Amino acid sequence: MSRDGARCELPIHLGCYLILPLFLLCFTWTAASTCAGAEDDPQFGGKSVSQWVEVARSDSDAEQRRKAAFAFGMLGPQAEQAVPALITLLQDSDDEVREAAARALGSVGRGRPSEVAALVKSLDDEHPSVVEAAAASLGEFGPAAQPAIEDLIDAADRFIDFRVPIESLCRIGEPAFKPLVRVLMDAQRPERLRIHTATALPRYGEPAVEPLAELARTATPALRSKALYGIGEIGPVASEVVPTLIEAMQAPDSDVRHAAAYSIGKCGPEAKAAIPLLIDALDDADRRVGDDAADALAAMEAELEPFIPQLIECLLEEDAFVRHHAAKVIGTVGPAAQSAVPALAEMLREHPESEVEAITAFGQIGPGAVSALPEIVERLERHPRAATAAIARMESATPKVVDRLVKLTSREDPRARVEAIEALGEFGEAATPALPALLRLLEDTGSYEVERWGSHGITKRIERVTVAESVPAALEKVGAAAIPGLIRALSHEEKSVRRLAMEALGRIGGPREAATAPLVVALSDDDADYRAAAARTLAAMGPDAADAADALVQMFLADPERNNRVEAARALGQLGEEAVVPVLADGTQDPDPEVRASAIQALGELGPIGVMSVPALVAALEDDGHRAEWISDHFATTAPIRLDAAEALGKIGPPAREATEALAETLSDEDGSVRVAVALALWRIDRENELSLPTLSAALTDSHQRTRELAARDLSALGPAASPALFALIAALDDESWIVRSEAAEALGAIGPAAADGTLELIELLLDDEEYFGDDVRRSAAGALGKLGAGAVPHLVAALEHPRLAVRVAAADALGEIGAPARPALSRLQALREEDYVTLRNATAKAPQSIRGASPDRF
């Protein structure tokens, strides 16, 4: 990410060209690199900047000069003194040196006139990779590169990858808009260049509508389709060109029709004049056109009711795709489409391949489709998930229907049994009559293989799962009625059943005191893993498990397995019992660092009632031990125990005031994460503490990423009290770490309306196009905008059109958070309410309750 917040996108082939040598170079130098040295002369690869400058100026070996340029680029702004040397290297006789210098200048420089001029000169270089590197670096300068606009325009035709100059021009900003339009409309320019321009121009929003519409009317099919897609990306504000989109829907070229249907859908109800054409397009010869026409119709939900008769006719077509599209669109109309129920029922009977689509539509119509209930119940065996969802939405989960699903749990195929179990769970409390069957299924050892993705979707593995493993989740949804049966299951002869019963009890809320006695027995089992499972369940039960305190203390003191002692400590921390404090305080001196850490954490969880442990926790501020800290299911690092001690004192709060002097002394700890934890603890103990906020603000620029992450997270915990750190948090939205950016956004949201100065930066973060982990950042940005107030509404409405589901859901939630000032979003939320994605349906159903003060049914 550049310093102005824009993100650089290297062309694919150029990125591959650069990444391998850079990786090899970094690998070779890792042992000798310090990446930071004296403040005035930082180091990389064993040399300071001044030493690398000397290499760049005088070394006769081109490879060494290239390494010097690379070093400057890796150091970024820290190597600012190397700018003159880099400008000189742009004239080097070796093309690889010139390329490395051009790329490094974008990282090191600040867009001064001399830097811009030097890169502009490199746009005339004879080597294409140098030209592309120079263009990319001009983009890094953002608006400061405005003097280079015409040079980039003139040079654009010579690029191998046209995305490079267009991306750089877009990053320069508003001054580049009209020159880009000139490129777009110039028929003498290469078509691929104009296509990339049409793809990029929507970033400018509404001003781009008119030139894109003109291109959509007059250009070649390839350009027309790109221009039409661009209009769609701009969204509802492009509704003024609906006539152009309607005209394009009738084009002979299917790519053009496809793009037009897509864009009409993005314009939403404002494009209602296109509804008849869209219905006709459901049976387009190009299936893509039919798909997008159906999506576009679904976006016009409120305008579709008068067209139900035409859609009913489509339900009777021989073409299955047309039927499916029509059923999908009818479903989006919801209860107002009740007149389509007979035709949907006929489709259900006559066309087995369309059963799921018909059943889904019945569910969307709701109770008005109850006449179809017998037909749906008959198909429970074939389509348990779709049928169950429909029945639930029709509010028709009768005992008879539940009984049918129970019978399906006896099917031979273990996958089918799991589907039936999951379907019963979807009925929630209505599935109470199925509890005996579900509890019996805790004994079902049938199994099958599934593919599972690891953390962040990076790795995939094959696992064998049993039918019984699906039961706890279903019982959790059924609720407290399952508790008595689960308590009885704790005495089952099979340990696997008892273990699953423990899991289910841990997940269900409600009175569970009666489970304590059998769980205490389990704490003495010969199986170490089983003992740990019992401790975890008792921890989940919290104060309900208070009678287990003595047994958990014994386990903490005497269990031969370290992990079990840790689990016992965690459970003790959840009981809310003051009597366990002395035992845990003694545990802070245990020889095992993992056990010490768990005791300290448990004391923190007890909160103010753990005040007697303050002396022990103060002593732990000097503990030099470390514990494991799991970052994901398969990766762990270490964390200092001093951090846990500081956090525990903070959770005890004002009663721990005697620890403030020791905490203040610990602010000089060599570990940044400890300093951050201490600062938060001081604030929690004394809201007037003058050391907390300056320490947390300074930590946002710490050289260690983890320290910055924790500082942003802890500032979020301060809520409005973190407002003095406002501008430090805004700056952190540009941090190289996605976690820091995400935490900083959440901290701004926690500050609330007082953080309005960060609105523009949060919007930029929301619309950022980072691929990896970007959804987390965008969700945080949307959530923060929702807490800043009415000024964020237009941007959140636009985010409802974002291609990523996570962003659309977050934007809907944020609009609901804003409440009444978000009324302009109601029509778009309505259009999204019947999306295929459950999370989005839920979000767009809940938001209006806050906006209009109404139940979802009135929406």
Side-chain angles (χ1 to χ4, degrees):
M1 178 175 279
S2 67
R3 297 301 171 201
D4 63 352
R7 191 169 300 282
C8 179
E9 292 183 0
L10 284 176
I12 294 170
H13 75 276
L14 186 56
C16 294
Y17 174 76
L18 289 170
I19 287 170
L20 182 58
L22 297 192
F23 172 79
L24 292 174
L25 187 56
C26 286
F27 183 81
T28 303
W29 289 359
T30 295
S33 295
T34 58
C35 289
E39 236 179 76
D40 57 344
D41 202 5
Q43 293 188 347
F44 183 85
K47 292 185 175 69
S48 66
V49 171
S50 56
Q51 289 172 322
W52 280 120
V53 167
E54 185 61 29
V55 171
R57 288 175 172 165
S58 60
D59 201 299
S60 60
D61 185 346
E63 176 61 15
Q64 292 302 312
R65 298 196 300 278
R66 187 184 68 78
K67 285 183 177 181
F70 171 71
F72 300 145
M74 293 298 291
L75 287 167
Q78 296 181 80
E80 188 175 356
Q81 62 178 292
V83 167
L86 282 169
I87 291 175
T88 301
L89 288 178
L90 289 174
Q91 307 302 316
D92 197 276
S93 59
D94 186 278
D95 55 357
E96 291 188 4
V97 174
R98 297 197 304 278
E99 178 188 349
R103 192 159 302 284
L105 192 54
S107 173
V108 176
R110 299 190 178 185
R112 299 181 183 87
S114 60
E115 297 161 5
V116 173
L119 289 170
V120 165
K121 189 173 181 180
S122 292
L123 293 176
D124 292 323
D125 196 281
E126 62 184 13
H127 200 282
S129 65
V130 178
V131 176
E132 292 190 350
S137 285
L138 286 167
E140 287 289 325
F141 292 158
Q146 183 175 343
I149 288 175
E150 293 301 330
D151 297 281
L152 282 166
I153 292 288
D154 292 343
D157 293 6
R158 303 197 307 274
F159 280 75
I160 296 173
D161 188 337
F162 293 125
R163 289 174 296 181
V164 178
I166 299 304
E167 174 68 20
S168 292
L169 285 162
C170 287
R171 294 176 68 179
I172 291 172
E174 185 64 30
F177 176 67
K178 289 183 178 178
L180 282 167
V181 171
R182 288 205 318 269
V183 172
L184 182 71
M185 307 308 294
D186 188 347
Q188 302 305 311
R189 292 279 192 159
E191 185 173 66
R192 285 194 305 115
L193 175 62
R194 297 173 71 198
I195 285 173
H196 285 304
T197 306
T199 301
L201 213 59
R203 300 186 195 187
Y204 289 93
E206 191 170 0
V209 172
E210 185 177 340
L212 287 170
E214 176 65 22
L215 196 69
R217 288 190 289 268
T218 61
T220 63
L223 273 168
R224 290 185 72 190
S225 61
K226 287 298 180 184
L228 289 163
Y229 278 122
I231 291 170
E233 291 303 314
I234 295 171
V237 297
S239 58
E240 64 194 68
V241 295
V242 168
T244 298
L245 302 178
I246 290 175
E247 179 185 345
M249 280 294 299
Q250 303 168 73
D253 188 275
S254 63
D255 286 338
V256 174
R257 299 196 304 276
H258 179 211
Y262 167 83
S263 293
I264 289 171
K266 293 299 182 180
C267 289
E270 297 296 327
K272 62 184 179 182
I275 290 177
L277 271 176
L278 290 169
I279 292 175
D280 290 342
L282 292 177
D283 65 350
D284 194 282
D286 187 328
R287 297 297 188 200
R288 299 174 305 156
V289 179
D291 290 343
D292 277 333
D295 290 339
L297 286 166
M300 299 184 194
E301 173 186 331
E303 307 294 339
L304 285 174
E305 190 172 349
F307 297 92
I308 294 295
Q310 291 95 310
L311 290 166
I312 288 174
E313 290 179 13
C314 293
L315 290 175
L316 307 177
E317 291 280 345
E318 286 300 316
D319 189 322
F321 281 98
V322 177
R323 295 196 303 273
H324 296 173
H325 289 322
K328 173 183 176 179
V329 176
I330 286 171
T332 64
V333 179
Q338 186 174 349
S339 60
V341 170
L344 284 166
E346 182 178 344
M347 185 176 91
L348 187 67
R349 290 190 296 268
E350 300 296 328
H351 301 285
E353 72 277 16
S354 302
E355 287 181 344
V356 170
E357 289 74 14
I359 291 170
T360 302
F362 286 135
Q364 291 171 309
I365 293 171
V370 73
S371 61
L373 183 61
E375 304 269 10
I376 297 172
V377 172
E378 283 183 15
R379 289 159 178 81
L380 271 170
E381 183 170 354
R382 289 200 293 276
H383 312 294
R385 286 196 175 96
T388 301
I391 292 167
R393 296 182 75 167
M394 292 163 63
E395 301 174 4
S396 300
T398 63
K400 182 178 178 181
V401 173
V402 172
D403 186 59
R404 288 290 295 269
L405 271 177
V406 168
K407 290 178 180 176
L408 297 182
T409 63
S410 301
R411 286 186 292 177
E412 183 176 349
D413 182 0
R415 287 180 186 270
R417 298 201 294 279
V418 168
E419 286 184 348
I421 291 167
E422 292 174 346
L424 284 166
E426 291 305 311
F427 283 161
E429 290 183 9
T432 300
L435 280 175
L438 288 171
L439 291 166
R440 284 196 300 273
L441 286 163
L442 289 170
E443 305 172 18
D444 192 326
T445 58
S447 64
Y448 57 94
E449 289 185 344
V450 296
E451 287 186 344
R452 293 261 171 88
W453 286 97
S455 300
H456 305 302
I458 295 173
T459 58
K460 188 166 65 173
R461 62 187 185 276
I462 303 295
E463 288 186 0
R464 179 162 287 278
V465 298
T466 67
V467 173
E469 289 171 355
S470 67
V471 176
L475 291 172
E476 178 185 11
K477 294 177 181 178
V478 176
I483 291 175
L486 287 169
I487 292 173
R488 289 193 297 274
L490 292 176
S491 302
H492 196 280
E493 61 183 11
E494 291 292 334
K495 184 173 288 186
S496 61
V497 174
R498 300 198 299 273
R499 191 189 298 269
L500 288 170
M502 288 180 192
E503 179 187 341
L505 281 167
R507 299 172 71 151
I508 297 175
R512 293 165 288 181
E513 293 92 339
T516 304
L519 288 169
V520 166
V521 173
L523 293 178
S524 302
D525 195 90
D526 291 339
D527 184 333
D529 290 340
Y530 187 67
R531 296 196 302 275
R536 284 192 294 271
T537 303
L538 289 165
M541 289 168 57
D544 284 351
D547 289 346
D550 290 342
L552 286 167
V553 165
Q554 184 60 29
M555 183 177 182
F556 173 68
L557 294 174
D559 197 286
E561 296 291 332
R562 165 206 274 180
N563 180 62
N564 288 5
R565 297 183 66 200
V566 169
E567 295 289 359
R570 290 173 179 164
L572 288 168
Q574 300 301 316
L575 298 185
E577 291 288 309
E578 189 175 358
V580 305
V581 172
V583 175
L584 291 171
D586 289 344
T588 65
Q589 302 297 316
D590 195 273
D592 189 313
E594 295 292 338
V595 175
R596 293 202 303 277
S598 66
I600 291 168
Q601 292 166 0
L603 288 166
E605 292 302 314
L606 289 170
I609 67 171
V611 65
M612 289 187 299
S613 68
V614 168
L617 293 173
V618 167
L621 290 173
E622 299 181 8
D623 192 320
D624 59 1
H626 287 72
R627 59 164 172 83
E629 182 173 40
W630 289 93
I631 305 300
S632 69
D633 292 342
H634 306 288
F635 177 71
T637 182
T638 60
I641 291 175
R642 301 188 303 282
L643 181 150
D644 297 319
E647 289 185 343
L649 286 165
K651 289 178 179 179
I652 291 173
R657 191 176 296 273
E658 66 182 89
T660 53
E661 183 177 347
L663 284 166
E665 292 175 359
T666 312
L667 281 174
S668 60
D669 195 281
E670 62 183 12
D671 191 299
S673 64
V674 175
R675 296 195 300 273
V676 168
V678 167
L680 180 61
L682 285 168
W683 182 83
R684 284 175 164 166
I685 292 169
D686 178 8
R687 301 294 171 91
E688 303 300 322
N689 190 282
E690 296 179 352
L691 300 174
S692 298
L693 275 168
T695 301
L696 292 171
S697 295
L700 289 173
T701 58
D702 194 272
S703 60
H704 291 87
Q705 176 179 315
R706 182 59 176 160
T707 301
R708 301 196 304 276
E709 292 171 1
L710 293 171
R713 181 200 69 183
D714 288 356
L715 282 165
S716 181
L718 269 60
S723 56
L726 174 61
F727 293 104
L729 286 166
I730 292 173
L733 296 177
D734 194 32
D735 195 276
E736 63 184 15
S737 163
W738 70 270
I739 300 176
V740 176
R741 297 196 298 275
S742 181
E743 296 284 5
E746 293 188 10
L748 289 169
I751 291 172
D757 284 342
T759 300
L760 292 178
E761 286 81 0
L762 285 167
I763 291 163
E764 184 178 335
L765 204 62
L766 175 65
L767 301 178
D768 189 59
D769 56 2
E770 181 179 354
E771 186 71 22
Y772 299 105
F773 312 119
D775 283 347
D776 299 271
V777 179
R778 287 184 280 265
R779 275 192 293 266
S780 297
L785 287 166
K787 292 170 182 164
L788 298 191
V793 170
H795 307 288
L796 290 167
V797 172
L800 292 174
E801 308 296 335
H802 199 281
R804 291 186 178 274
L805 172 65
V807 179
R808 301 199 298 277
V809 171
D813 287 338
L815 287 163
E817 181 84 19
I818 291 173
R823 288 185 69 86
L826 284 173
S827 61
R828 190 65 199 120
L829 287 166
Q830 182 178 2
L832 291 171
R833 189 175 171 190
E834 297 299 340
E835 282 266 0
D836 291 339
Y837 303 102
V838 173
T839 52
L840 186 56
R841 286 204 306 269
N842 291 343
T844 52
K846 290 176 182 176
Q849 297 180 65
S850 298
I851 296 172
R852 301 178 66 178
S855 69
D857 293 336
R858 282 184 54 197
F859 180 47

